[in-house]
Amino acid sequence: MGLFDALFRSSEILGIAEETLEFVLESSEETHPNEYMGFLRGTEANTLGLERDGLVITDILVVPGTESNSVSATVRTSMIPNDVKALGSIHSHPNGVVRPSSADLETFGRGSVHVIIGAPYRRSDWQAFDSQGEPTQLNVLDVELPESEEFFDFTQADIDEDMQWE
């Protein structure tokens, strides 16, 4: 997808891929007792076999240099890519509280959906919030994600096409 296409794609978030949710639950548990932190990225629903316009959260971007402890996760803002695919954030609360803190609310301005996962990191231990910190519905979608090998399946022509738009 070129930059022009990315700027004009549908911004409606239809949900999160089930496999992606399972990944963040496992990652949060593995990071415990420290917080887990990442950024949500989406894929056009029609490329995942859904006959709807919109985006499905399919990827979690963990920023290099993120520091975390049992009460916070800090991202080096200079390491966050200026990415048109960024939809919001996701992080864990090792204390199990699944609502945003005042510090969380300060970071919710970037993106339209933010997910908090609480210990013990079961399928029912998470909640999505809008940029104001209000709970919002985020459907879990059973979609087949592209194989990881397909992520690296591109040619020089693909790179040239993307560079043309920059």
Side-chain angles (χ1 to χ4, degrees), residues 25 53 61 79 92 98 104 109 116 127 144:
L25 290 169
D53 287 336
L61 175 65
M79 297 296 286
S92 66
V98 186
D104 293 338
I116 297 176
Q127 175 65 53
E144 189 169 328

Side-chain angles (χ1 to χ4, degrees), residues 4-161:
F4 182 78
D5 295 328
L7 291 174
F8 292 99
R9 68 182 176 178
S10 170
S11 61
E12 180 185 7
I13 300 172
L14 303 177
I16 185 169
E18 185 171 7
E19 189 175 324
T20 304
L21 178 60
E22 292 298 324
F23 169 80
V24 296
L25 290 169
E26 290 172 14
S27 297
S28 295
E29 186 173 18
E30 288 174 10
T31 307
H32 189 87
N34 293 333
E35 283 196 9
Y36 172 82
M37 175 73 183
F39 292 94
L40 305 170
R41 294 176 50 143
T43 301
E44 290 285 345
N46 59 12
T47 65
L48 299 172
L50 298 177
E51 294 182 11
R52 288 189 60 196
D53 287 336
L55 299 169
V56 176
I57 297 168
T58 55
D59 301 294
I60 307 300
L61 175 65
V62 178
V63 176
T66 298
E67 296 178 10
S68 67
N69 58 47
S70 63
V71 294
S72 70
T74 305
V75 176
R76 291 184 183 172
T77 55
S78 63
M79 297 296 286
I80 300 172
N82 187 10
D83 188 347
V84 294
K85 292 183 181 180
L87 304 176
S89 66
I90 189 162
H91 74 281
S92 66
H93 281 178
N95 65 5
V97 176
V98 186
R99 64 177 182 270
S101 66
S102 57
D104 293 338
L105 293 173
E106 291 178 22
T107 65
F108 279 11
R110 180 177 256 172
S112 60
V113 66
H114 304 275
V115 177
I116 297 176
I117 303 165
Y121 315 111
R122 296 172 304 216
R123 181 70 181 257
S124 59
D125 296 326
W126 66 281
Q127 175 65 53
F129 299 90
D130 64 19
S131 57
Q132 284 75 44
E134 294 298 319
T136 188
Q137 179 69 33
L138 185 62
N139 296 318
V140 178
L141 304 173
D142 184 15
V143 294
E144 189 169 328
L145 299 181
E147 294 295 322
S148 58
E149 297 84 43
E150 292 178 23
F151 179 79
F152 296 103
D153 186 21
F154 55 87
T155 65
Q156 184 62 46
D158 296 328
I159 295 169
D160 292 344
E161 181 182 340

